[in-house]
Short mmCIF file of all heavy atoms in Angstrom, two decimals:
data_model
loop_
_atom_site.label_atom_id
_atom_site.label_comp_id
_atom_site.label_asym_id
_atom_site.label_seq_id
_atom_site.Cartn_x
_atom_site.Cartn_y
_atom_site.Cartn_z
N ALA A 539 200.49 54.45 127.03
CA ALA A 539 199.29 53.72 126.62
C ALA A 539 199.51 52.24 126.86
O ALA A 539 200.66 51.76 126.90
CB ALA A 539 198.98 53.98 125.14
N PHE A 540 198.40 51.53 127.04
CA PHE A 540 198.42 50.08 127.15
C PHE A 540 197.83 49.48 125.87
O PHE A 540 196.74 49.87 125.45
CB PHE A 540 197.59 49.59 128.34
CG PHE A 540 198.16 49.97 129.67
CD1 PHE A 540 197.48 50.83 130.52
CD2 PHE A 540 199.39 49.47 130.08
CE1 PHE A 540 197.99 51.18 131.76
CE2 PHE A 540 199.92 49.82 131.32
CZ PHE A 540 199.23 50.67 132.15
N VAL A 541 198.56 48.55 125.28
CA VAL A 541 198.02 47.75 124.17
C VAL A 541 197.51 46.45 124.79
O VAL A 541 198.31 45.59 125.17
CB VAL A 541 199.07 47.46 123.09
CG1 VAL A 541 198.51 46.53 122.03
CG2 VAL A 541 199.54 48.76 122.44
N VAL A 542 196.19 46.33 124.91
CA VAL A 542 195.59 45.12 125.48
C VAL A 542 195.28 44.18 124.32
O VAL A 542 194.51 44.52 123.42
CB VAL A 542 194.31 45.44 126.28
CG1 VAL A 542 193.69 44.16 126.82
CG2 VAL A 542 194.65 46.40 127.42
N GLU A 543 195.91 43.01 124.34
CA GLU A 543 195.81 42.08 123.22
C GLU A 543 194.40 41.49 123.12
O GLU A 543 193.64 41.48 124.09
CB GLU A 543 196.84 40.97 123.39
CG GLU A 543 198.27 41.48 123.38
CD GLU A 543 199.27 40.38 123.65
OE1 GLU A 543 199.28 39.84 124.76
OE2 GLU A 543 200.04 40.06 122.72
N ASN A 544 194.08 40.98 121.93
CA ASN A 544 192.81 40.29 121.73
C ASN A 544 192.78 38.98 122.50
O ASN A 544 193.82 38.35 122.73
CB ASN A 544 192.57 40.00 120.25
CG ASN A 544 192.29 41.25 119.45
OD1 ASN A 544 191.80 42.25 120.00
ND2 ASN A 544 192.57 41.22 118.15
N GLY A 545 191.58 38.57 122.88
CA GLY A 545 191.39 37.26 123.49
C GLY A 545 191.11 36.21 122.44
O GLY A 545 191.29 36.43 121.23
N GLN A 546 190.64 35.05 122.86
CA GLN A 546 190.39 33.93 121.95
C GLN A 546 188.95 33.90 121.44
O GLN A 546 188.69 33.40 120.35
CB GLN A 546 190.70 32.60 122.66
CG GLN A 546 192.14 32.48 123.12
CD GLN A 546 193.13 32.52 121.97
OE1 GLN A 546 192.91 31.91 120.92
NE2 GLN A 546 194.22 33.26 122.16
N GLY A 547 188.00 34.41 122.22
CA GLY A 547 186.59 34.33 121.84
C GLY A 547 186.22 35.32 120.75
O GLY A 547 186.95 36.28 120.46
N GLN A 548 185.02 35.11 120.16
CA GLN A 548 184.56 35.98 119.09
C GLN A 548 184.30 37.40 119.58
O GLN A 548 184.41 38.36 118.81
CB GLN A 548 183.28 35.41 118.45
CG GLN A 548 183.51 34.14 117.64
CD GLN A 548 182.25 33.67 116.96
OE1 GLN A 548 181.14 34.07 117.34
NE2 GLN A 548 182.40 32.81 115.96
N ASP A 549 183.92 37.53 120.85
CA ASP A 549 183.62 38.86 121.40
C ASP A 549 184.76 39.39 122.25
O ASP A 549 184.54 40.18 123.16
CB ASP A 549 182.32 38.80 122.22
CG ASP A 549 182.42 37.86 123.40
OD1 ASP A 549 183.40 37.07 123.45
OD2 ASP A 549 181.54 37.90 124.28
N GLN A 550 185.99 38.95 121.94
CA GLN A 550 187.15 39.37 122.72
C GLN A 550 188.21 40.05 121.86
O GLN A 550 189.38 40.09 122.22
CB GLN A 550 187.76 38.16 123.45
CG GLN A 550 186.82 37.54 124.47
CD GLN A 550 187.41 36.30 125.13
OE1 GLN A 550 188.48 35.83 124.77
NE2 GLN A 550 186.70 35.75 126.11
N SER A 551 187.78 40.57 120.71
CA SER A 551 188.69 41.25 119.80
C SER A 551 188.18 42.65 119.49
O SER A 551 186.98 42.93 119.61
CB SER A 551 188.83 40.47 118.49
OG SER A 551 189.35 39.17 118.73
N VAL A 552 189.09 43.52 119.10
CA VAL A 552 188.72 44.88 118.73
C VAL A 552 187.75 44.84 117.56
O VAL A 552 187.96 44.11 116.57
CB VAL A 552 189.96 45.71 118.37
CG1 VAL A 552 189.58 47.11 117.93
CG2 VAL A 552 190.93 45.77 119.55
N LEU A 553 186.69 45.63 117.64
CA LEU A 553 185.72 45.71 116.55
C LEU A 553 186.36 46.36 115.32
O LEU A 553 187.31 47.14 115.44
CB LEU A 553 184.51 46.54 116.98
CG LEU A 553 183.62 45.93 118.08
CD1 LEU A 553 182.64 46.97 118.58
CD2 LEU A 553 182.89 44.72 117.54
N PRO A 554 185.85 46.05 114.11
CA PRO A 554 186.36 46.73 112.91
C PRO A 554 186.11 48.24 112.99
O PRO A 554 185.13 48.68 113.61
CB PRO A 554 185.55 46.10 111.78
CG PRO A 554 185.04 44.82 112.33
CD PRO A 554 184.83 45.05 113.79
N PRO A 555 186.96 49.04 112.37
CA PRO A 555 186.78 50.50 112.44
C PRO A 555 185.58 50.95 111.62
O PRO A 555 185.21 50.31 110.64
CB PRO A 555 188.08 51.05 111.85
CG PRO A 555 188.59 49.96 110.97
CD PRO A 555 188.17 48.68 111.62
N PRO A 556 184.95 52.07 112.00
CA PRO A 556 183.83 52.62 111.21
C PRO A 556 184.33 53.18 109.89
O PRO A 556 185.51 53.52 109.74
CB PRO A 556 183.27 53.71 112.11
CG PRO A 556 184.39 54.09 113.01
CD PRO A 556 185.22 52.86 113.20
N LYS A 557 183.41 53.30 108.94
CA LYS A 557 183.79 53.75 107.59
C LYS A 557 184.20 55.21 107.56
O LYS A 557 185.00 55.61 106.70
CB LYS A 557 182.63 53.50 106.63
CG LYS A 557 182.33 52.03 106.40
CD LYS A 557 181.19 51.84 105.42
CE LYS A 557 180.90 50.35 105.20
NZ LYS A 557 179.76 50.14 104.26
N ASP A 558 183.66 56.03 108.48
CA ASP A 558 183.98 57.46 108.44
C ASP A 558 185.12 57.83 109.38
O ASP A 558 185.29 59.01 109.70
CB ASP A 558 182.74 58.30 108.75
CG ASP A 558 182.21 58.09 110.17
OD1 ASP A 558 182.57 57.05 110.77
OD2 ASP A 558 181.46 58.94 110.67
#
Side-chain angles (χ1 to χ4, degrees):
F540 293 116
V541 175
V542 178
E543 298 176 294
N544 289 335
Q546 300 298 318
Q548 290 184 342
D549 61 347
Q550 297 177 355
S551 299
V552 178
L553 293 169
K557 293 181 180 179
D558 64 341

